[in-house]
């Protein structure tokens, strides 16, 4: 029997969270969370009340993404818990450490029958690394410690802990378990030699940076690797900013899986050094039998797929493995980069086209270019999901890690605003902009009230085309008629004002940058309604690519 002081189980739960260094709990509490809510009242942990469970969990997942420490959110049983399903999948596929705490009716004795009861643990098991119901207060320290270990350990993801009412209120004398630093092994000497030999033998190698390189602070090791070896690099959408994209060795971002200018270089390469990417993110290229060789560098072994089956796997601490691989290469790698230089020049020319175009409504090239003008090197944009994500991935250069927050794994709508809110909360001295389509914005637009209540400095850009633009583009690409994807919007200026934010409507293209600057300088929460013209989607992303790609 432990000699620890007896306390209520919910108090022990909160002590365990404090021991893990939890700063915030994002929540929509219900009746079944009241014991835990009362325990939080005197805690060092800050409670952030949101207007929907999705908002709470998306914020928590983004906390995990930005810090590497698990973000924590809380909801009640039944409908509260089920509203966590999409953010759980978002964290699970996106590799973001997330702890979800849900309530439940008493499990020992209940007079409410099956009211609101869903088997939440079984429901979440496929989209979590671990899902457990707490059946005794004495198990809380071990389960909380295990939850954080599992959630944060590579590959990070979501964990669910269900705390029933009667367990939360029972007495326990267990002591909190203290966390300790985690260290990963480094790849074996033999496989590093094998990888180095492949790189030295390659005529046209390329380095690929994926989301895994963005989760951990591997920037220094990877930047030095590129600087020393002089191997050109490209990234996935979720790998943007790992290395400064102003580098002369940067080719571009794989915003599409094939058929883009960048794929001319990828197709010509005879070796891809793939750092931090896995098949969960939409593929940046497709492997084929007898084609280019691939070296997989990551914390975990490769998940083999029809389009991804690397020949060499460098498994271990990512940054340390890259440092040792650089040592074995011993300097610049001899490679034929003349063709890559041609591709880089073509991509630079293509992505700089029409950045000053004056048409109104505003075309994608202009609104992406104007966004880059007002954002500093460490400022953050958080994208919801829509066709504009492709334009930002291709045309917006990222200078620092985690300054372009987008989701190319689950690719859900509705996450852009909560993700930006978390970035603004975490980095109050940086400019933060949420960039949402009108469809995605309306899915969690109620969180504007949360942002105002938190006193955040945040600009929310709503790209307004009164339709689900990404699917209209896909519909057009497939040769179908334009049908079934248009809707009407509220007056976004009045909508923002009603929450206590400040609404702006851009009525001339030349007003976009001044409007952004005015909003950032004023501080507080601002919504900018930007009418957009997506006719360039077909011209550039379908017709032009089909005609021009790989003619170089």
């Amino acid at each position: 029997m432990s000699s620890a002081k007896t306390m209520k189980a919910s108090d022990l739960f909160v002590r365990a969270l404090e021991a893990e260094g939890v700063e915030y709990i994002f929540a929509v509490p219900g009746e079944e969370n009241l014991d835990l809510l009362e325990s939080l009242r005197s805690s060092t942990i800050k409670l952030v009340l949101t207007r929907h469970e999705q908002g709470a969990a998306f914020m928590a997942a983004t906390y995990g993404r930005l810090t590497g420490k698990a973000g924590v959110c809380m909801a009640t049983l039944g409908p509260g818990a089920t509203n966590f399903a999409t953010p759980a999948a978002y964290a699970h596929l996106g590799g973001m450490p997330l702890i979800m705490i849900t309530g439940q009716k008493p499990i020992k004795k209940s007079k409410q029958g099956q009211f609101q009861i869903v088997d939440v643990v079984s429901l979440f098991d496929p989209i979590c690394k671990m899902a457990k119901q707490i059946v005794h207060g004495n198990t809380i320290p071990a389960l909380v410690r295990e939850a954080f270990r599992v959630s944060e350990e590579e590959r990070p993801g979501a964990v669910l802990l269900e705390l029933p009412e009667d367990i939360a209120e029972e007495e326990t004398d267990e002591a909190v378990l203290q966390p300790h630093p985690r260290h990963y092994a480094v790849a074996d000497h033999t496989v590093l030699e094998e990888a180095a030999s492949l790189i030295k033998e390659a005529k046209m190698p390329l380095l690929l940076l994926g989301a895994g390189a963005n989760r951990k602070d591997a920037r220094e090791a990877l930047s030095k690797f590129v600087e020393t070896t002089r191997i050109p690099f490209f990234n996935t959408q979720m790998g943007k900013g790992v290395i400064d994209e102003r580098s002369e060795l940067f080719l571009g971002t794989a915003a599409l899986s094939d058929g883009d200018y960048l794929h001319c270089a990828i197709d010509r390469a005879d070796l891809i050094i793939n750092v931090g990417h896995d098949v969960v993110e939409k593929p940046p290229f497709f492997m084929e039998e007898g084609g280019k060789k691939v070296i997989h560098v990551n914390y975990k072994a490769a998940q083999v797929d029809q389009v991804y089956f690397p020949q060499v796997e460098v498994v271990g601490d990512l940054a340390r493995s890259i440092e040792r691989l650089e040592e074995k290469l011993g300097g610049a790698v001899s490679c034929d980069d003349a063709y890559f230089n041609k591709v880089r020049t073509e991509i630079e020319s293509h992505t700089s086209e029409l950045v000053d175009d004056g048409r109104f409504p505003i075309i994608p090239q202009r609104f992406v270019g104007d966004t880059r003008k007002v954002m500093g090197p460490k400022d953050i944009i958080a994208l919801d999901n829509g066709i504009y994500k492709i334009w930002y991935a291709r045309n917006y250069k990222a200078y620092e890690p985690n300054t372009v927050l987008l989701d190319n794994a689950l690719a859900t709508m509705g996450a852009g605003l909560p993700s930006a809110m978390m970035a603004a909360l975490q980095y109050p001295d940086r400019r933060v902009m949420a960039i949402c389509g009108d469809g995605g914005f309306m899915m969690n637009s109620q969180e504007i009230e949360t942002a105002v209540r938190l006193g955040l400095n945040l600009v929310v850009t709503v790209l307004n085309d009164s339709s689900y633009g990404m699917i209209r583009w896909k519909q057009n690409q497939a040769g179908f008629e334009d049908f079934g994807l248009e809707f009407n919007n509220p007056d976004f200026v009045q909508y923002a004002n009603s929450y206590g934010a400040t609404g702006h409507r851009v009525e001339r293209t030349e007003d976009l940058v001044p409007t952004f600057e005015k909003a950032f300088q004023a501080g507080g929460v601002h919504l900018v309604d930007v009418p957009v013209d997506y006719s360039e989607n077909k011209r550039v992303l379908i017709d032009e690519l089909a005609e021009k790609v790989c003619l170089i």
Side-chain angles (χ1 to χ4, degrees):
M1 180 68 69
S2 170
S3 60
K5 180 182 176 182
T6 299
M7 67 177 75
K8 196 165 74 166
S10 61
D11 290 339
L12 178 62
F13 199 112
V14 169
R15 296 277 182 90
L17 295 177
E18 290 172 343
E20 296 291 341
V22 174
E23 296 180 89
Y24 304 101
I25 290 184
F26 306 91
V28 180
E31 179 185 351
E32 290 70 26
N33 306 120
L34 289 178
D35 285 288
L36 196 58
L37 190 65
E38 173 60 19
S39 297
L40 282 169
R41 189 168 60 84
S42 57
S43 170
T44 58
I45 299 170
K46 300 179 185 72
L47 178 72
V48 177
L49 190 70
T50 62
R51 302 306 299 270
H52 193 283
E53 290 87 355
Q54 274 197 10
F58 282 138
M59 288 187 75
T62 304
Y63 177 90
R65 180 180 194 171
L66 293 173
T67 67
K69 300 186 297 181
V72 182
C73 56
M74 179 174 71
T76 190
L77 80 170
T82 58
N83 280 339
F84 275 168
T86 298
Y90 171 80
H92 181 64
L93 294 183
M96 306 173 202
L98 171 68
I99 306 288
M100 298 169 290
I101 303 165
T102 57
Q104 188 53 275
K105 295 294 182 189
I107 56 174
K108 297 176 182 177
K109 187 176 182 181
S110 176
K111 297 180 180 179
Q112 297 195 42
Q114 295 300 305
F115 177 64
Q116 289 194 309
I117 291 180
V118 175
D119 186 347
V120 171
V121 173
S122 295
L123 178 69
F124 277 79
D125 189 63
I127 51 174
C128 286
K129 293 181 74 177
M130 180 178 108
K132 296 282 188 182
Q133 182 185 72
I134 299 171
V135 298
H136 196 287
N138 288 353
T139 65
I140 286 173
L143 282 174
V144 170
R145 178 79 282 275
E146 180 68 356
F148 277 83
R149 183 194 68 78
V150 169
S151 178
E152 294 173 358
E153 193 171 77
E154 290 291 340
R155 184 176 184 270
V159 166
L160 179 127
L161 291 178
E162 183 180 75
L163 181 62
E165 275 186 281
D166 51 351
I167 305 303
E169 66 184 15
E170 50 178 46
E171 292 293 314
T172 176
D173 61 359
E174 286 296 308
V176 168
L177 297 178
Q178 298 297 324
H180 55 81
R182 180 189 300 107
H183 301 283
Y184 292 95
V186 180
D188 180 71
H189 165 78
T190 304
V191 76
L192 286 168
E193 287 284 359
E194 186 179 358
S197 295
L198 272 182
I199 295 170
K200 289 176 181 177
E201 292 167 5
K203 299 289 191 295
M204 299 180 71
L206 286 178
L207 176 70
L208 165 62
L209 303 172
N214 224 343
R215 283 202 302 275
K216 302 293 181 183
D217 192 12
R219 179 187 179 91
E220 184 178 352
L222 284 163
S223 295
K224 189 169 180 290
F225 180 87
V226 167
E227 183 182 329
T228 300
T229 64
R230 308 299 295 170
I231 297 174
F233 70 95
F234 68 104
N235 50 37
T236 68
Q237 292 188 35
M238 294 178 75
K240 287 186 71 66
V242 174
I243 301 178
D244 192 332
E245 293 173 15
R246 291 170 293 190
S247 167
E248 63 181 356
L249 294 168
F250 175 64
L251 294 183
T253 298
L256 305 173
S257 291
D258 61 3
D260 205 346
Y261 292 92
L262 177 60
H263 292 97
C264 299
I266 295 171
D267 291 344
R268 191 71 67 93
D270 56 356
L271 176 69
I272 302 287
I273 308 158
N274 185 349
V275 180
H277 175 66
D278 60 48
V279 296
V280 172
E281 187 175 2
K282 193 173 182 181
F285 66 92
F286 302 126
M287 287 189 70
E288 296 177 355
E289 188 64 38
K292 66 180 65 58
K293 292 183 178 179
V294 173
I295 298 172
H296 173 90
V297 184
N298 215 325
Y299 291 91
K300 294 283 188 179
Q303 181 180 340
V304 175
D305 188 88
Q306 289 179 327
V307 298
Y308 189 63
F309 41 92
Q311 287 84 1
V312 176
E313 298 187 39
V314 179
V315 177
D317 184 289
L318 192 149
R320 304 293 82 76
S321 296
I322 285 293
E323 288 171 351
R324 294 195 181 183
L325 185 57
E326 180 200 334
E327 290 171 5
K328 290 189 179 297
L329 290 171
V333 173
S334 176
C335 65
D336 180 4
D337 60 0
Y339 183 74
F340 294 154
N341 289 333
K342 289 181 181 179
V343 173
R344 182 186 304 109
T345 300
E346 186 73 12
I347 291 172
E348 288 285 347
S349 173
H350 173 72
T351 55
S352 63
E353 288 176 352
L354 302 178
V355 293
D356 295 317
D357 189 279
R359 275 176 280 176
F360 189 84
I362 304 175
I363 65 170
Q365 296 95 318
R366 177 64 185 262
F367 64 67
V368 172
D370 281 3
T371 305
R372 184 66 276 182
K373 287 177 184 176
V374 301
M375 304 301 280
K378 292 191 175 184
D379 294 338
I380 296 171
I381 61 171
L383 303 177
D384 206 90
N385 266 280
I387 187 65
Y388 51 88
K389 185 177 77 170
I390 294 176
W391 287 101
Y392 275 95
R394 293 172 90 243
N395 293 31
Y396 184 98
K397 285 190 176 179
Y399 307 148
E400 295 280 343
N402 279 324
T403 55
V404 176
L405 302 180
L406 57 76
D407 167 27
N408 199 36
L410 182 65
T412 180
M413 296 168 73
L417 174 57
S419 183
M421 289 164 56
M422 184 63 245
L425 185 63
Q426 187 70 17
Y427 301 111
D429 296 330
R430 300 193 198 181
R431 287 185 172 187
V432 177
M433 182 187 294
I435 300 169
C436 309
D438 43 7
F441 172 71
M442 290 303 294
M443 291 185 179
N444 273 312
S445 62
Q446 72 283 343
E447 299 303 342
I448 289 287
E449 187 279 325
T450 308
V452 170
R453 178 165 28 91
L454 291 173
L456 301 180
N457 294 317
L458 176 66
V459 172
V460 181
T461 299
V462 178
L463 302 172
N464 188 345
D465 71 332
S466 298
S467 71
Y468 293 118
M470 170 71 90
I471 310 307
R472 287 183 81 187
W473 172 61
K474 292 285 188 181
Q475 192 178 53
N476 182 282
Q477 195 177 31
F480 294 118
E481 292 295 319
D482 187 3
F483 171 74
L485 295 168
E486 295 178 272
F487 47 71
N488 298 318
N489 282 315
D491 182 322
F492 285 122
V493 173
Q494 292 188 39
Y495 187 74
N497 293 342
S498 72
Y499 283 119
T502 303
H504 310 261
R505 180 173 293 109
V506 174
E507 297 181 336
R508 300 183 308 166
T509 298
E510 58 267 32
D511 291 340
L512 184 57
V513 165
T515 302
F516 283 155
E517 286 292 353
K518 179 182 177 182
F520 279 122
Q521 289 170 15
V525 180
H526 294 256
L527 183 150
V528 182
D529 179 4
V530 182
V532 295
D533 172 8
Y534 278 134
S535 60
E536 289 288 290
N537 292 346
K538 183 177 186 302
R539 186 187 74 80
V540 174
L541 300 179
I542 299 176
D543 300 340
E544 188 177 286
L545 288 184
E547 292 171 6
K548 291 180 68 176
V549 77
C550 293
L551 294 179
I552 45 181

